[in-house]
């Protein structure tokens, strides 16, 4: 049995997810148990730094890479001491994505793993994406390895985070790709209404759908591209935000929520998926989930809160375990790299 901590900071900047879980094999099948997990809200100053990191100079970005790494290490130390946790074998950190341009063969997740190691004294696995990008892959999505081994009872797993992504097995291969932006857009629109997010989708529920804008969104080239494929904030800045005119934010929220439901349901229906696990912050958006359920006959399963909130952090912990064991933790069928591989830098 291995005890590991997974750290996840999503593009929607909801906070730092920390998940401590135990992993073991039972008749060659991987099992897990979440021991403790929490989301730590970022201080406003750090949240703003991370949000604006794409615009920093190279020197400022290098400084943030170090300081954020030490911040992560301190939060891990506090998490362990405050919760009287069992001995931890390793920390696996996703980091915070600043740049993601796989076609140019680079991606950057900041939060130096060596700083986490120096602060905690624990082995740290970090930078899971870069190797895949160098191998011709998208560097995303990575969670399908966990979907495959830890959640085998579902036809598909969909995460509703900053971006939505899906993974499912087809013809004995794990297929995965980003579907569309979710909270990265909804949260930004909500901030125009002085809220960090659209709780329960209440703002969107009050808005009116702009049919012309919806048509433009649904016609974006990305949605007709073959998988594997992935999205980043740069794509949103280029293709989504310029479409938003000076409309009522509630109407924009209503329109984009409809757009999300259209894109996700189209994938579910196309591949005739019957039982789908929903996780991520967007799962709490009841208006979005209602719209999605109305557009598909699939059984949409909303699990316990720890799985909703911490599935990605859990899976990065699992990827760290696989990395220390030198086992495959990235699937080429999901990312498009030229072969399955074992990724992550060990500090």
């Amino acid at each position: 049995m291995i005890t590991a901590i997974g750290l996840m900071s999503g593009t929607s900047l909801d906070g730092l997810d920390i998940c401590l879980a135990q992993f073991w094999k039972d008749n060659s099948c991987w099992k897990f148990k979440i021991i403790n997990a929490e989301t730590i809200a970022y201080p406003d100053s750090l949240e703003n730094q991370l949000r604006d990191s794409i615009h920093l100079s190279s020197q400022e970005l290098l400084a943030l890479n170090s300081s954020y790494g030490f911040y992560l290490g301190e939060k891990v130390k506090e998490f362990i001491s405050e919760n009287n946790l069992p001995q931890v074998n390793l920390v696996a950190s996703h980091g915070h994505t600043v740049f993601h341009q796989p076609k140019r063969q680079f991606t950057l997740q900041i939060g130096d793993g060596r700083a986490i190691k120096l602060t905690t004294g624990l082995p740290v696995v970090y930078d899971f994406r870069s190797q895949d990008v160098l191998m011709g892959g998208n560097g995303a999505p990575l969670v399908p390895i966990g979907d495959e081994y830890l959640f085998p009872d579902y036809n598909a797993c969909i995460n509703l985070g900053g971006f939505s992504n899906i993974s499912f097995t087809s013809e004995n291969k794990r297929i995965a790709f980003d579907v569309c932006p979710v909270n990265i857009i909804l949260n930004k629109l909500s901030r125009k209404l002085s809220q960090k997010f659209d709780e329960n989708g209440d703002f969107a529920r009050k808005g009116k759908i702009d049919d012309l804008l919806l048509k433009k969104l649904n016609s974006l080239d990305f949605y007709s591209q073959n998988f594997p494929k992935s999205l980043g904030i740069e794509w949103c800045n280029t293709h989504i935000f310029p479409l938003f005119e000076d409309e009522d934010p509630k109407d924009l929220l209503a329109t984009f929520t409809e757009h999300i439901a259209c894109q996700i349901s189209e994938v579910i229906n196309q591949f005739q998926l019957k039982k789908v696990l929903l996780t991520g912050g967007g799962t709490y958006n009841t208006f979005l989930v209602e719209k999605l359920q109305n557009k598909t006959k699939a059984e949409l399963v909303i699990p316990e809160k720890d799985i909703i909130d911490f599935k990605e952090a859990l899976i990065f912990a699992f990827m760290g375990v696989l990395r220390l064991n030198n086992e495959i933790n990235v699937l080429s069928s999901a990312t498009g790299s030229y072969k399955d591989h074992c990724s992550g830098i060990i500090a």
Side-chain angles (χ1 to χ4, degrees), residues 19 28 46 49 55 63 77 86 98 169 196 203 206 218 220 230 239 257 265 267 316 334-335 345:
C19 178
S28 76
L46 179 56
Q49 278 185 294
H55 303 300
K77 280 182 66 177
V98 180
T169 299
K196 286 194 171 183
F203 287 138
K206 296 173 183 175
N218 286 334
L220 289 169
S230 64
H239 298 284
T257 300
S265 63
V267 173
F316 275 98
T335 67
I345 296 172

Side-chain angles (χ1 to χ4, degrees), residues 45-336:
S45 58
L46 179 56
E47 180 180 336
N48 291 333
Q49 278 185 294
L50 293 173
R51 193 179 307 285
D52 296 336
S53 56
I54 194 171
H55 303 300
L56 295 177
S57 70
S58 56
Q59 292 185 44
E60 291 169 331
L61 188 56
L62 286 168
L64 181 58
N65 181 47
S66 296
S67 63
Y68 182 54
F70 283 114
Y71 171 86
L72 295 175
E74 289 296 336
K75 292 307 169 186
V76 169
K77 280 182 66 177
E78 292 172 12
F79 178 71
I80 293 172
S81 64
E82 290 173 2
N83 293 290
N84 193 26
L85 299 175
Q87 181 177 352
V88 179
N89 300 116
L90 72 103
V91 177
S93 177
H94 171 270
H96 182 78
T97 299
V98 180
F99 302 111
H100 184 67
Q101 298 187 34
K103 289 183 179 179
R104 298 177 66 188
Q105 289 195 297
F106 73 86
T107 184
L108 176 65
Q109 288 71 45
I110 60 171
D112 198 319
R114 295 166 297 184
I116 304 173
K117 164 69 169 64
L118 290 169
T119 307
T120 63
L122 296 168
V124 176
V125 184
Y126 67 107
D127 192 9
F128 288 95
R129 298 189 187 275
S130 293
Q131 178 172 290
D132 189 75
V133 169
L134 292 171
M135 293 172 64
N138 280 276
L142 298 184
V143 295
I145 190 74
D147 295 342
E148 179 90 357
Y149 289 126
L150 304 181
F151 299 94
D153 297 334
Y154 301 92
N155 297 128
C157 295
I158 294 178
N159 181 65
L160 301 174
F163 299 91
S164 62
N165 49 65
I166 187 170
S167 85
F168 56 94
T169 299
S170 176
E171 298 179 354
N172 296 318
K173 286 186 177 181
R174 195 76 190 186
I175 304 300
F177 52 92
D178 284 352
V179 180
C180 64
V182 181
N183 292 332
I184 194 75
I185 305 295
L186 299 182
N187 290 0
K188 184 164 184 174
L189 293 173
S190 298
R191 287 195 293 274
K192 294 184 178 181
L193 297 164
S194 302
Q195 298 295 321
K196 286 194 171 183
F197 60 95
D198 185 6
E199 186 170 3
N200 300 319
D202 289 342
F203 287 138
R205 197 183 293 271
K206 296 173 183 175
K208 296 179 181 179
I209 293 173
D210 180 332
D211 291 327
L212 179 59
L213 174 59
L214 179 63
K215 184 177 181 180
K216 289 179 180 178
L217 290 167
N218 286 334
S219 299
L220 289 169
D221 288 343
F222 176 83
Y223 302 124
S224 60
Q225 292 173 10
N226 294 328
F227 54 81
K229 54 185 178 179
S230 64
L231 291 166
I233 184 60
E234 298 97 325
W235 185 85
C236 296
N237 290 337
T238 302
H239 298 284
I240 299 289
F241 293 120
L243 296 176
F244 294 166
E245 297 180 2
D246 191 22
E247 293 185 50
D248 185 331
K250 293 188 182 72
D251 293 345
L252 292 175
L253 282 163
T255 304
F256 205 82
T257 300
E258 177 72 15
H259 169 64
I260 295 166
C262 287
Q263 293 303 320
I264 295 175
S265 63
E266 186 172 321
V267 173
I268 292 174
N269 296 336
Q270 177 185 349
F271 292 98
Q272 300 180 344
L273 304 171
K274 304 298 183 185
K275 189 176 181 182
V276 179
L277 181 70
L278 297 183
T279 57
T283 307
Y284 295 112
N285 187 324
T286 52
F287 185 54
L288 172 58
V289 175
E290 287 169 18
K291 279 186 166 292
L292 186 55
Q293 187 64 83
N294 288 337
K295 295 178 185 295
T296 178
K297 295 180 180 179
E299 178 187 359
L300 303 181
V301 179
I302 297 179
E304 61 190 78
K305 189 175 187 300
D306 275 356
I307 301 298
I308 293 174
D309 292 342
F310 301 107
K311 176 170 167 277
E312 284 196 296
L314 167 75
I315 290 179
F316 275 98
F318 179 59
M319 290 180 66
V321 171
L322 294 176
R323 175 66 185 91
L324 283 191
N325 290 343
N326 286 316
E327 296 182 40
I328 287 169
N329 63 0
V330 178
L331 300 174
S332 60
S333 60
T335 67

Side-chain angles (χ1 to χ4, degrees), residues 1-6 18-24 31-37 79 85-90 150 310 313-315 317-318 321:
M1 183 177 293
I2 301 178
T3 304
I5 287 177
I18 302 185
C19 178
L20 175 80
Q22 292 176 326
F23 301 92
W24 68 95
K31 304 290 184 181
F32 73 92
K33 179 182 179 181
I34 294 178
I35 305 300
N36 208 320
F79 178 71
L85 299 175
Q87 181 177 352
V88 179
N89 300 116
L90 72 103
L150 304 181
F310 301 107
L314 167 75
I315 290 179
F318 179 59
V321 171

